[in-house]
Structures are given as C-alpha cells and as structure tokens.
Amino acid sequence: MFQKKGPIDRFNLGRQLTRDANASVSDILARTSSAPPRTAIRIAMTGPPGTGKSTLINNLCRRHLEAGYRVGVLAVDPTSPFTSGAILGDRVRMENVCEHENFFIRSLATRGAHNGLADNTPELLMTMDCHEFDEVIVETVGVGQIECAVRDLVDTTVLVLNPACGDYIQAMKAWVLEAADIIVVNKADLPGAEKLRVALQSVIRVRQHPAQAWIAPVIKVSHEAGGGVAELDRLLSEHLQWRRSRLDPLERRRARRAYHLTTLVARRVSETIGRMSPEQLDAGLAEAFANLVDALR
Ligand SMILES: Nc1nc2c(ncn2[C@@H]2O[C@H](COP(=O)(O)OP(=O)(O)OP(=O)(O)O)[C@@H](O)[C@H]2O)c(=O)[nH]1
Ligand SMILES: [Mg+2]
C-alpha cells in the first residue's frame, strides 16, 4: 500500500491550502484541475470542546506514522476570539508527532461556515489527496446537526465524548449518535467513564438496525492511563473494510459531490445576499426573494 514517496512538499502544500481556504466560489469553479487519482483514508474526529480530540489524534497518528503512513491533520477551529489559542492548543497536543517527516498539520478557521467545517473543506481535502497522504484526519468541534455534515466527506466519523460532558449529552439528539461510526468515551481515567459507556451503548443497542448495518461500537480510551488507542485503530480498519464491502464507490462519490454542490450554492447565496442593496432587502419577502434569485443568475 505504501509506495515510496518523495518528501512532503510543505511549501507548496501550505500555499495551496491557503489558496483553497481563501478561494471564492468563482475561483473554485474556474479551476480546471481534475480530481486526484486516489483519495486518502479520511477520518473525522468530532465532539464538544476539550474532550481530548487533539490528544487522541496525536496518539493515533503516532501509531500510523510508525506503520509508515503519510498522515495529514486538518484542525478546524470555530472562528472565535480564542481561535489562536485553540490553534496553538492543537499543535501543543500534537507536538509528539509534529516533527515527523511524514506528518503535516494545518489549522483552519471556520470563517463563514457554520457547520463545524471550514468553508472550503472539500477543496482542502482534494489538495491533501494531491500530496499523496495515506490518511487525513479532520478535527471538528461541536455536536450540532450541521457538524454531522462532515460525514459526507469522510470514510469514518469518530465522536469523542468524555465523562465531563454530561450537559452536552443531555442536549444531544439521537441523530448525533447516529452520525457516528465509532463512539469514544475519552479520558476514561476520570470517574463516570464506564457509566457513560454503558449508557451510550444501551441507547445504540435499543435502536432498530437494518440487517448488516454497522452498529457503532462504544469504547473507552485514556491518554493518562494509556489504553484504548489500539482498539480504536482496530475498529477504524474494521469500519473501513465494512464500508468498502457494502458501499458502492460511485454512490460515495455522488454523495460527496452532492455535499460539495450544496456548500458552493450556500456560499454563492450568502455572497450574493451580501451584495444586495438595503432597498432590495427591505422589499416584501417575496420580492426580496425574487431579487435574490435574479441576482444569482
Ligand atoms: N484526564 C485526562 N485528560 C486528558 C486526556 N486526554 C486529554 N486530556 C486533557 O484534556 C485537555 C484537552 O485536550 P485536547 O486534546 O486539547 O482536547 P480537544 O478536544 O482537542 O480540545 P479543543 O480542540 O479545544 O476542542 C488537555 O488538558 C489534555 O491534557 C485523558 O485521557 N485523560
Ligand atoms: Mg483540539
């Protein structure tokens, strides 16, 4: 699987990711480059703030780097006054692997996007594919409905919770759990971890599952006490195999394309609304809508 590759072209990759992050819809549509021949395995690590996602990614990356993978991380930070702190936080948690020749990390602000993903995540992932990564891990913060959108872009979604996020779990809807392929009760060294694991597992088990469906396993992982990362790694491989045997690659490509189109149209709409005059916006709703549709043509 791992054919010999040259070193990561960090300079060009960095520049291309910046260009992707800043590209308007028109910039993207004007591109002529075709999709890269192969895509990396894509994993999303999502969950409430501070559940230990970056630390877990670091531990997983270390294993995969040792196994010879070329690994990239896109860490998506919500645009907030704390962004620079969060970016620094992700890097600090990953300092163990940051220096590795086969490792690359890029932090991204979410800018206008409200879905826990940076605006141009599909482009950013394609650029990573052009640089021959074997695996790309996307770290996103939050457990809202739209964070689940990441599911369309990746192969496996890991939901990272911990015993301290009781409030989030209260607020969490069943579909959040449904969107996860693997659920990690992280910081399992803290009290309440086993109780949380059992509670989550019973929620998953009582649901009706179609025959041969993937039923999200719930596992405990702890950086402090050690343990759980090897099991997560095994489940990631198992899920990927299941996916490959069950899902048609063409269907998967179409789902990704549908997501991509949705993000481009949503951005084009908000760009266009931003250019509408106060008079156009103040008109009656039907007229304002017609103005918008006209402007989109
Ligand atoms: N007790 C305990 N603490 C942990 C564990 N893993 C991470 N932490 C701590 O939890 C805090 C947050 O860790 P991060 O890895 O930055 O969490 P994150 O989910 O990436 O945080 P954001 O990116 O800010 O959402 C840090 O202080 C870590 O040292 C663990 O297994 N057990
Ligand atoms: Mg983090």
Side-chain angles (χ1 to χ4, degrees):
M1 174 179 180
F2 307 113
Q3 73 268 44
K4 194 101 185 92
K5 301 172 187 133
I8 300 173
D9 183 355
R10 292 172 191 275
F11 179 72
N12 277 316
L13 175 54
R15 270 189 10 177
Q16 285 160 11
L17 291 174
T18 302
R19 186 199 59 187
D20 289 340
N22 294 325
S24 68
V25 175
S26 305
D27 293 337
I28 292 165
L29 296 178
R31 287 183 187 172
T32 49
S33 54
S34 51
R38 59 182 284 284
T39 59
I41 295 166
R42 296 174 178 177
I43 299 166
M45 292 274 183
T46 188
T51 50
K53 298 176 291 298
S54 299
T55 309
L56 181 58
I57 291 171
N58 175 74
N59 292 335
L60 195 64
C61 286
R62 210 170 41 206
R63 290 175 68 88
H64 292 177
L65 289 166
E66 276 165 16
Y69 282 50
R70 173 176 287 188
V71 185
V73 174
L74 298 178
V76 182
D77 297 295
T79 304
S80 77
F82 306 112
T83 294
S84 56
I87 287 173
L88 202 62
D90 288 334
R91 281 179 186 276
V92 167
R93 306 282 170 250
M94 294 184 207
E95 69 185 348
N96 247 331
V97 290
C98 264
E99 300 302 318
H100 197 288
E101 57 172 355
N102 273 329
F103 181 79
F104 180 90
I105 177 169
R106 180 66 180 261
S107 297
L108 300 151
T110 46
R111 298 164 189 269
H114 303 292
N115 59 358
L117 288 183
D119 267 348
N120 295 348
T121 311
E123 279 71 30
L124 296 161
L125 285 167
M126 265 193 252
T127 294
M128 297 298 278
D129 288 339
C130 293
H131 285 258
E132 300 183 292
F133 283 89
D134 299 297
E135 178 176 276
V136 175
I137 304 180
V138 185
E139 179 182 339
T140 70
V141 179
V143 286
Q145 182 162 24
I146 359 196
E147 274 89 13
C148 297
V150 71
R151 198 176 159 74
D152 290 328
L153 289 180
V154 301
D155 298 301
T156 305
T157 301
V158 181
L159 176 63
V160 184
L161 302 168
N162 69 34
C165 51
D167 290 348
Y168 271 96
I169 291 157
Q170 295 283 314
M172 232 163 54
K173 306 283 186 290
W175 46 256
V176 176
L177 294 179
E178 239 152 64
D181 299 306
I182 299 170
I183 299 173
V184 169
V185 174
N186 206 16
K187 306 195 187 182
D189 50 290
L190 298 180
E194 178 57 17
K195 200 170 148 208
L196 176 60
R197 190 193 65 78
V198 170
L200 289 166
Q201 188 132 60
S202 61
V203 174
I204 303 223
R205 290 233 172 105
V206 296
R207 212 173 301 139
Q208 294 285 320
H209 297 282
Q212 300 186 320
W214 173 265
I215 300 172
V218 187
I219 58 163
K220 289 192 292 185
V221 178
S222 169
H223 172 69
E224 293 301 324
V229 181
E231 194 184 359
L232 173 61
D233 205 3
R234 184 183 59 75
L235 289 169
L236 284 167
S237 307
E238 229 173 72
H239 180 255
L240 199 66
Q241 268 177 16
W242 172 86
R243 215 179 133 84
R244 285 186 175 145
S245 67
R246 296 268 173 266
L247 298 186
D248 176 6
L250 194 64
E251 242 172 67
R252 196 185 60 178
R253 267 208 303 280
R254 285 184 185 138
R256 286 185 181 174
R257 172 54 64 83
Y259 176 83
H260 199 174
L261 285 169
T262 309
T263 59
L264 289 172
V265 170
R267 288 185 59 201
R268 174 56 63 81
V269 169
S270 71
E271 284 169 10
T272 309
I273 290 179
R275 283 196 302 269
M276 282 168 73
S277 68
E279 293 73 32
Q280 286 175 317
L281 288 170
D282 290 342
L285 186 60
E287 196 185 327
F289 184 84
N291 288 337
L292 171 62
V293 172
D294 267 354
L296 282 170
R297 288 212 180 96

